[in-house]
Amino acid sequence: MQTSWIRSAIAVPILGLPLEAAGTTHMPLSSFTQLMENERRHRPTADAWRSGEAMQLESLSQLGQAIGNSRNLGEALKTFAHGFPLLQSNTSVELSIMDHEAHVSYRVLDPHIWPRRADAELSLGLIRGICARFGISRDAVLGVSFEHEPDGATRDLVQHLGVAPAFGRDENRLRLAVSALSNRPVVARHDDYTASWRQLEQALRRQRSDTDLSARVYSHILQRIGHGPASQADTADALGISERSLRRGLAAQGSSFSEIMENCRRMQGYALLTRSDRPLSEIALLLGYSDQTAFSRAFARWYGVPPRELRRSGALEESVIR
């Protein structure tokens, strides 16, 4: 799995560093989240959320331009979710409709960077800031949930949000009434949305062409594990290629779909075992195993000990939060 990244032009200003400090176009996402966590640890407030709310669309390049030209909030949030891969790799952002509510979810897929606190608060704050551009008041937010557990920053965050977040959930999520999606921008648009969407699509195509096929497969499988089908056929369809092209392309890179699937299960399973208290049966189901026995056999083969012993040993893998 390739190193997860965030665009330096976004990360460096958030961290309060001069742009020259970036050095390269991309910054390792693990470095960014670690620096964010260190700052949050010393200042346990809602600063990360506020930074997200205050982020200027201009800093988001083509994506920010398309969001700014959106004709309503629904279009803006759909654009944000679609174009987010330009800002950060191995990340899932989705807009969905459930029971008359609009849900915007954010999830870093890389198991080495899970769970996170400051990064999640920053990202949901950015989504909230986009909503504000379409006249959504703070009290119009129906609910907020986080992957991380409550800690010393909870009180300040609750006071700022005006709603008590839910913690320890599967995804970081912001909920709105579906009716809010029709809201028009507070400030009139200056450019054509269709043209900015076209530019966004061109940028996404260029990025996809520069990304190894194996990296794209890793990202898709990690996004689907525990959330839907992640078969070879499903993956090929999602990437817009045939199963034969998928097999041949991965073979040319010295890999295979089954090998990548196994690596994803191993990484995600290790993270769930050592950094969560989920029952083993639930982890097995999330990873796509037919039963807990198959899951236990796989982990005993990989690590030399069964899952229960691995969990009891308290073994540590590199992670932002320990």
Side-chain angles (χ1 to χ4, degrees):
M1 182 177 181
Q2 293 183 342
T3 301
S4 303
W5 52 259
I6 181 172
R7 284 206 174 273
S8 298
I10 301 168
V12 169
I14 292 173
L15 296 171
L17 302 173
L19 192 56
E20 308 83 69
T24 60
T25 305
H26 296 155
M27 177 181 188
L29 185 56
S30 59
S31 299
F32 173 74
T33 52
Q34 184 66 72
L35 290 168
M36 290 282 293
E37 284 302 313
N38 290 342
E39 178 69 17
R40 189 183 184 282
R41 193 173 296 117
H42 293 113
R43 299 172 59 190
T45 68
D47 285 357
W49 181 286
R50 291 187 178 96
S51 294
E53 285 185 326
M55 196 177 299
Q56 298 299 308
L57 292 182
E58 291 74 16
S59 68
L60 307 184
S61 190
Q62 296 103 326
L63 176 56
Q65 182 177 9
I67 292 171
N69 289 329
S70 296
R71 291 159 290 198
N72 55 56
L73 178 59
E75 196 168 69
L77 293 177
K78 177 183 176 182
T79 300
F80 178 75
H82 182 68
F84 199 83
L86 291 176
L87 309 183
Q88 187 170 298
S89 71
N90 294 322
T91 303
S92 171
V93 178
E94 296 183 358
L95 170 65
S96 57
I97 307 300
M98 301 180 187
D99 299 328
H100 307 292
E101 290 183 356
H103 293 209
V104 189
S105 61
Y106 168 82
R107 186 164 54 98
V108 171
L109 305 175
D110 190 338
H112 296 86
I113 315 175
W114 176 87
R116 302 148 317 281
R117 293 172 295 216
D119 167 70
E121 292 160 5
L122 173 79
S123 300
L124 290 195
L126 170 57
I127 295 168
R128 176 67 190 84
I130 292 172
C131 292
R133 292 174 175 270
F134 290 81
I136 303 300
S137 60
R138 183 172 282 113
D139 58 8
V141 174
L142 301 179
V144 175
S145 58
F146 293 107
E147 292 174 298
H148 65 77
E149 298 294 339
D151 61 4
T154 301
R155 176 177 294 183
D156 183 56
L157 189 59
V158 169
Q159 290 178 343
H160 180 71
L161 297 180
V163 60
F167 293 95
R169 301 306 172 91
D170 290 338
E171 295 179 321
N172 306 291
R173 186 182 296 265
L174 188 147
R175 295 164 35 226
L176 301 163
V178 169
S179 58
L181 298 182
S182 61
N183 275 33
R184 298 286 182 176
V186 174
V187 178
R189 296 177 294 115
H190 299 293
D191 298 307
D192 178 56
Y193 173 76
T194 302
S196 56
W197 174 268
R198 192 179 301 118
Q199 292 174 359
L200 181 66
E201 281 288 279
Q202 291 172 351
L204 285 167
R205 282 196 294 271
R206 287 194 298 269
Q207 179 168 289
R208 283 193 290 268
S209 67
D210 292 339
T211 303
D212 288 345
L213 178 61
S214 59
R216 295 169 62 197
V217 173
Y218 265 105
S219 182
H220 176 75
I221 292 176
L222 287 171
Q223 181 176 1
R224 301 307 295 161
I225 283 182
H227 291 77
S231 66
Q232 182 171 271
D234 172 73
T235 301
D237 183 63
L239 299 184
I241 59 177
S242 67
E243 287 189 66
R244 182 182 180 186
S245 295
L246 177 62
R247 289 193 297 270
R248 294 178 64 178
L250 291 176
Q253 296 178 2
S255 185
S256 68
F257 183 82
S258 60
E259 179 184 341
I260 294 176
M261 173 64 79
E262 186 173 84
N263 287 338
C264 288
R265 282 174 163 171
R266 185 170 62 242
M267 289 188 296
Q268 188 75 4
Y270 192 102
L272 289 169
L273 275 172
T274 59
R275 287 178 252 139
S276 84
D277 57 1
R278 289 176 183 264
L280 299 189
S281 58
E282 183 180 339
I283 295 176
L285 182 64
L286 286 171
L287 297 180
Y289 288 100
S290 57
D291 53 44
Q292 186 175 326
T293 301
F295 162 68
S296 297
R297 285 176 183 156
F299 269 71
R301 183 176 74 250
W302 292 330
Y303 294 102
V305 295
R308 291 186 188 280
E309 187 173 334
L310 189 65
R311 171 170 276 178
R312 281 196 301 266
S313 71
L316 289 176
E317 183 181 38
E318 179 183 354
S319 172
V320 172
I321 301 177
R322 296 198 183 278

